[in-house]
Amino acid sequence: MPIVVRIDVELARRKMSVGEFAERVGLTPANVAVLKNGRAKAVRFSTLEAMCRVLGCQPGDLLEYVADEEES
């Protein structure tokens, strides 16, 4: 998948657990895992805004485009 979610990197930088992050954002830990593992098909802007607010970061810190090998 060309879009990589970097929540784990931002959580590690802040030494924040998935449980704490999920609670502060208003998601279940299972839904955070879906995002972290790249299984999500979409992210609401309101959820992205909440994640950025909690982590004090920009959307580009959480999402990265990585070209598939076929596209290279």
Side-chain angles (χ1 to χ4, degrees):
M1 174 180 254
I3 302 295
V4 178
V5 182
R6 302 280 185 208
I7 293 173
D8 52 345
V9 173
E10 297 301 319
L11 289 177
R13 285 184 179 164
R14 288 156 183 80
K15 297 182 169 94
M16 185 182 296
S17 71
V18 170
E20 179 186 355
F21 176 71
E23 184 177 325
R24 291 177 62 186
V25 171
L27 296 172
T28 65
N31 283 340
V32 174
V34 167
L35 286 167
K36 280 180 49 176
N37 296 325
R39 294 189 315 258
K41 298 293 181 196
V43 179
R44 292 176 188 243
F45 280 134
S46 59
T47 302
L48 184 58
E49 177 184 355
M51 292 189 301
C52 289
R53 180 177 26 79
V54 166
L55 294 172
C57 67
Q58 294 294 314
D61 297 327
L62 299 175
L63 304 173
E64 179 183 2
Y65 174 77
V66 178
D68 284 336
E69 289 181 20
E70 300 167 358
E71 296 175 14
S72 302

